[in-house]
Amino acid sequence: MRQPEPEPQSFDRVLSSMCTEPHPAARAAAERFLATNPGDPATYEAVAELEARAVEGLATLAEHPTPADATGYVTSGGTEANIQAVRSARNRHGESDDTSGERDVNVVAPASAHFSFTKAAALLDVELRTVPVDDEYRADPDAVAAAVDDGTALVVAVAGSTEHGRVDPIPELAAIADEAGARVHVDAAWGGFVLPFTDRDWSFADAPVDTVTIDPHKFGQAPVPAGGLLAREDAALDALAVDTPYLESRSQATLTGTRSGAGVAGAVAAMDALWPDGYREAAERAADNADWLAAELADRGYDVVDPELPLVVAAVPESEFAALRDAGWKASRTGTGALRVVCMPHVTRATLRAFLDDLDGIRR
Amino acid sequence: MRQPEPEPQSFDRVLSSMCTEPHPAARAAAERFLATNPGDPATYEAVAELEARAVEGLATLAEHPTPADATGYVTSGGTEANIQAVRSARNRHGESDDTSGERDVNVVAPASAHFSFTKAAALLDVELRTVPVDDEYRADPDAVAAAVDDGTALVVAVAGSTEHGRVDPIPELAAIADEAGARVHVDAAWGGFVLPFTDRDWSFADAPVDTVTIDPHKFGQAPVPAGGLLAREDAALDALAVDTPYLESRSQATLTGTRSGAGVAGAVAAMDALWPDGYREAAERAADNADWLAAELADRGYDVVDPELPLVVAAVPESEFAALRDAGWKASRTGTGALRVVCMPHVTRATLRAFLDDLDGIRR
């Protein structure tokens, strides 16, 4: 089956990804820990120690009340973290931890929530109640309040939505959830390494949030796979544990079994190198680039969604979008077909100038 | 949060892991593709192409009728592959693909099945019917036949069990499943790269098997994370698809979202380097080592389970086990407390001699 090896893509023209080039220190650490498995901590002790440091680092970013004792783990990515948050809330709702199938549980999420919640609901056999967003693409608290009931195990809030980079009104949503006896999950998979440098309310300190998704392999500049799940209380993860014969550890709360030590070591190295000043600079640069691109696109007459976090959406016609793809730009579209540019750290001002030059050429 | 960086463990004394040192070519490929995401094939085209090659390679090993057109993907590991097999069977059972919660579905698995099936059942809200194994630690067909009924979506068969390395009587189990209208999943996560060099029946060619788990990151000598899920029919994966706005691909059948390109590239490079002769040599060397260790332990008076695949179980007392751990040996135990040694490629005859020397020292 030997065939010529393809080259990995360059990031030069990647505007569509929520991942980025890993920090050099993170890449080096990932390479060193490539042959380790934090899912088997009794065998792979060093990487298990690193995972505790990764969780403490993430908990620091997310303003957990006690970062050194925070409960959580490095997931395969945001999807696993979101699935696990739904699963934990399902299992804890009415304290029916069993699998008797007698549950009638729902999860309320804004239409802006990532499709991993659809996946989670299909997987976990819970009802997903998707409620409309407001004119600014944020969860509408009135719609959420109207959707929750006694069966609501979880209210999902988004801190940096995939399509528009929006932050939901999290304290308001948390108050609604509290009233309904539901738990609150914040999906900050993409936003989590940018939000600490904004005035937005999203963290454990800002609202009575139960669980948070925050991914080192997005704005954290760690290599894939390094997602993150954090919980305010140990009980949130305890509700996920299954017994583990054959391992010298007693139980496992993760969704996957064998896990990547490269991701864990890379996440720690990235946070060591970049928290907080490196992340602050990256967040500010990305925000400047997004604001600049939005203004340039608006100047050209496109209908632009004003960026809140570093993500620009503009109503570029399908024919122009197709021509940009043909020119090698890895851009993507929202559900309504609008151009979507994610201003990750690898997306420089020079990249965006070249992109606009190509767009101008296409429009001529 | 900067602290001294711990060193990754050496594999010198690791007898407990079902993972191993990656092949050098696999490590190099993984390092090259560290910053890629096969979960976003429109952005990361090269690694998507590699994934198609990985699936073809795995399908060749598992004797899929049409390897070049086989359906499957590179999972985060065996747990994801097993969960997805259960999920697919659940969704397809009675063709109720929805999430209405009206299902009353069960899965029948031998007690020797990996704990990921317990995890899958808890996650997916299906009943797991665990049936006893026979005196040789293999699934007992009579017990499986007694457990299946109209609600049985899936019969799980193990080809290389985690505790004892046993291969179930797969054609017999498949016949029972067929009779009951259930699908058949073979968990060859660990065994899949050894079984092609044995006379055991386990593959798509050997029985009417629907899905197979086969992990490059175990005996395939690929780096973590690289598991594998294969299906005989496209419909098995179609039953897992959820819609994907924001991605230029239409739907996603994987459990995770962002995935590791390092694992995919590493899997392809390992198979290119080792299939078939390198894997045959590794399998034969491992089998010889297991037979030798089993004989040595039996000579010392321990009760030894005769190895079928390269895994040795012996009733070593708790005090001796503890002393071996203290001496730095990463060994593990079965559910009944017996010593379990997995003869992976990194476990050489010299390693086993050193292990026995330490054991002899402890017994003196």
Side-chain angles (χ1 to χ4, degrees), chain B residues 5-21:
Chain B
E5 190 86 340
E7 285 300 312
Q9 85 303 326
S10 139
F11 274 100
D12 287 356
R13 295 191 162 215
V14 172
L15 307 178
S16 51
S17 187
M18 289 191 144
C19 296
T20 190
E21 279 183 294

Side-chain angles (χ1 to χ4, degrees), chain A residues 71-73 84 88 92 211 229-242 251-254:
Chain A
T71 190
Y73 73 98
Q84 293 280 78
S88 175
R92 295 177 81 190
T211 48
L229 175 67
L230 297 171
R232 186 183 293 273
E233 301 174 350
D234 293 350
L237 257 71
D238 293 344
L240 301 174
V242 299
S251 72
Q252 193 174 80
T254 58

